[in-house]
């Protein structure tokens, strides 16, 4: 019995020939590119399904290989939305600046240009939509925003979008961020390995933006410690609401009650508070940050923000290629795990 030969693979040109359009139009329509009318897109999808069209993974891999072997020309733009009240303040934060650097490098590799759009008094969300449509831009990256902008009425259904971090609640699109739970567990384990036993955690209102996930990691890993070494969390939000004297008194009271020998914190100003109450770092109290960027702490977690930026673009690129636009029915988050960095603020305990 002779082996049955496989039927010839349906190509983009086959579909285009049947519909009287080019193979380029078919390719764009299958990716739901808004440059192609909804009517043509629907016809292409229907015809592709009827003919049993399937993309050739080997051809896709070859195309990617060829792209990687040569310098890609810049053919399109990706929008980076800056809706900060003072736009210059966004990338003053080194963490957010590294998001840009990582995303921009990855975008360039794939033939895109990352372009900032400053939304505010001079550029409303509706005007932004007009500009993006005219430019054929369908991909949007959303770094953290302060204060939260009003995007009501913006037609997210026309765009593929990815957020960095959890602080921006709307739109509820896919996100890429640091793995705060895993990072805090990593920091706790490393600090224990350095000889510390009474490890405290200090947080404040900024953790609300992350859903208390640093604190969640701390409370989870604490269960592996002896009961006598499980300390209460110091919540800086409840220690005076802006009054430095009340803040110092509250911290001293917590310190006297818990007697930590080390602290993990997401409060960038904690070293100044510790010194203001007469404690020395690290002689009296060792400190590590949930991030070592934008703080005076040199011990803690490197959250790899440049990698977060790179992964953010890769996620967006996959959405664009898949023709996935709008607010997703099934939400996804891509977490990047950090690395422990040991410095002078958390030396090995004698």
């Amino acid at each position: 019995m002779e082996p049955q030969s496989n039927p010839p693979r349906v190509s983009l040109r086959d579909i285009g020939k049947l519909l009287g359009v080019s193979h380029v139009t078919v390719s764009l329509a299958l990716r739901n590119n808004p440059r192609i009318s909804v009517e043509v897109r629907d016809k292409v999808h229907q015809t592709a399904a009827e003919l049993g069209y399937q993309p050739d993974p080997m051809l896709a891999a070859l195309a990617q290989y060829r792209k990687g072997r040569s310098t890609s020309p810049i053919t399109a733009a990706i929008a980076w939305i800056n809706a900060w009240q003072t736009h210059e303040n966004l990338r003053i934060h080194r963490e957010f600046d590294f998001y840009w650097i990582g995303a921009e490098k990855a975008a360039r590799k794939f033939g895109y240009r990352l372009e900032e759009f400053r939304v505010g008094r001079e550029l409303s969300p509706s005007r932004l939509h007009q500009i993006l449509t005219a430019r054929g831009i369908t991909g949007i990256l959303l770094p953290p925003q302060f204060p939260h902008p009003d995007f009501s009425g913006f037609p997210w259904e026309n765009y593929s979008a990815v957020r960095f971090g959890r602080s921006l609640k709307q739109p509820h699109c896919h996100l890429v961020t640091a793995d705060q739970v895993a990072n805090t567990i990593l920091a706790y384990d490393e600090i224990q390995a350095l000889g510390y036993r009474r490890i405290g955690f200090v947080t404040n209102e900024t953790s609300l933006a992350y859903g208390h996930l640093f604190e969640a990691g701390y409370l989870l890993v604490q269960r592996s410690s002896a009961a006598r070494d499980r300390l209460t969390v110091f919540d800086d939000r409840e220690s005076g609401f802006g009054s430095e004297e009340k803040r110092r008194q509250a911290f001293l009271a917590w310190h006297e009650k818990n007697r930590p020998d080390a602290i993990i914190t997401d409060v960038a100003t904690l070293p100044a508070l510790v010194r203001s109450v007469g404690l020395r770092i690290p002689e009296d109290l060792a400190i590590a940050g949930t991030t070592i960027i934008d703080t005076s702490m040199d011990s803690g977690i490197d959250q790899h923000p440049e990698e977060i930026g790179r992964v953010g673009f890769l996620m967006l690129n996959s959405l664009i290629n898949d023709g996935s636009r709008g607010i997703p029915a099934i939400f996804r988050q891509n977490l990047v795990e950090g690395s422990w960095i040991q410095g002078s603020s958390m030396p090995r305990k004698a």
Side-chain angles (χ1 to χ4, degrees):
M1 188 179 196
E2 290 187 10
Q4 225 176 359
S5 61
N6 292 326
R9 180 182 289 273
V10 177
S11 69
L12 298 179
R13 293 182 187 277
D14 294 332
I15 300 170
K17 188 176 180 180
L18 194 62
L19 294 175
V21 298
S22 73
H23 68 283
V24 175
T25 298
V26 173
S27 176
L28 292 171
L30 288 173
R31 287 179 281 148
N32 292 323
N33 192 296
R35 286 155 54 188
I36 309 302
S37 69
V38 174
E39 182 184 3
V40 173
R41 276 185 266 163
D42 289 344
K43 282 182 181 178
V44 169
H45 279 283
Q46 182 181 347
T47 304
E50 291 172 352
L51 295 178
Y53 168 77
Q54 290 182 327
D56 187 335
M58 298 304 293
L59 286 177
L62 178 60
Q64 185 57 48
Y65 170 76
R66 284 174 172 169
K67 182 179 286 188
R69 296 280 292 177
S70 61
T71 303
S72 300
I74 302 300
T75 57
I78 294 294
W80 164 282
I81 305 302
N82 180 351
W84 280 56
Q85 200 163 36
T86 303
H87 294 114
E88 290 74 19
N89 287 349
L90 169 57
R91 289 179 60 191
I92 285 177
H93 295 270
R94 292 177 59 219
E95 201 97 29
F96 305 159
D97 188 44
F98 276 118
Y99 291 170
W100 167 279
I101 292 170
E104 193 275 333
K105 285 181 181 178
R108 196 165 2 108
K109 178 181 175 182
F110 283 83
Y112 286 94
R113 179 180 66 259
L114 187 59
E115 187 170 336
E116 182 181 59
F117 291 86
R118 296 188 167 189
V119 178
R121 204 171 301 167
E122 297 178 5
L123 181 62
S124 67
S126 60
R127 178 60 182 148
L128 172 67
H129 170 55
Q130 292 175 348
I131 294 172
L132 296 182
T133 301
R135 298 267 306 275
I137 298 174
T138 60
I140 293 177
L141 288 175
L142 290 160
Q145 308 288 333
F146 182 80
H148 285 186
D150 181 10
F151 284 128
S152 57
F154 187 80
W156 293 106
E157 64 273 11
N158 295 336
Y159 299 94
S160 302
V162 170
R163 288 179 291 159
F164 290 112
R166 297 186 177 86
S167 61
L168 185 63
K169 302 304 181 184
Q170 297 297 331
H172 192 63
C173 51
H174 301 309
L175 68 80
V176 176
T177 191
D179 191 339
Q180 288 100 348
V181 172
N183 287 350
T184 312
I185 292 173
L186 172 63
Y188 193 99
D189 289 342
E190 292 287 347
I191 292 169
Q192 272 196 329
L194 290 171
Y196 298 90
R197 291 294 172 264
R198 297 186 62 76
I199 304 168
F201 186 78
V202 175
T203 186
N204 68 7
E205 71 276 1
T206 59
S207 276
L208 289 172
Y210 303 109
H212 292 293
L213 292 179
F214 289 125
E215 183 178 347
Y218 171 76
L219 294 175
L220 180 63
V221 72
Q222 230 192 8
R223 295 169 61 183
S224 64
S225 297
R228 65 179 179 275
D229 292 331
R230 296 176 193 169
L231 314 186
T232 60
V233 172
F234 178 69
D235 189 345
D236 205 27
R237 288 179 301 128
E238 301 171 359
S239 62
F241 297 99
S243 166
E244 283 302 311
E245 182 55 35
K246 287 183 179 179
R247 188 178 177 224
R248 283 193 290 269
Q249 290 174 3
F251 178 78
L252 270 176
W254 173 83
H255 182 268
E256 288 294 322
K257 181 180 178 181
N258 288 273
R259 290 293 174 182
D261 54 3
I263 286 177
I264 304 170
T265 185
D266 58 6
V267 181
T269 58
L270 182 65
L273 174 63
V274 169
R275 292 186 178 100
S276 75
V277 298
L279 295 173
R280 298 168 300 164
I281 302 171
E283 294 85 354
D284 301 322
L285 188 59
I287 297 179
T290 54
T291 175
I292 57 170
I293 295 179
D294 292 319
T295 75
S296 62
M297 294 169 278
D298 60 0
S299 297
I301 297 295
D302 178 354
Q303 296 192 109
H304 302 305
E306 186 171 336
E307 175 66 7
I308 291 173
R310 188 183 79 88
V311 173
F313 170 78
L314 294 179
M315 188 181 202
L316 179 63
N317 192 42
S318 71
L319 295 175
I320 293 171
N321 290 338
D322 192 43
S324 178
R325 292 182 171 80
I327 307 305
I330 300 175
F331 171 67
R332 298 200 303 266
Q333 46 187 325
N334 212 330
L335 304 182
V336 175
E337 193 166 322
S339 302
W340 170 256
I341 303 296
Q342 186 184 347
S344 61
S345 64
M346 185 69 67
R348 181 171 294 278
K349 192 170 183 182

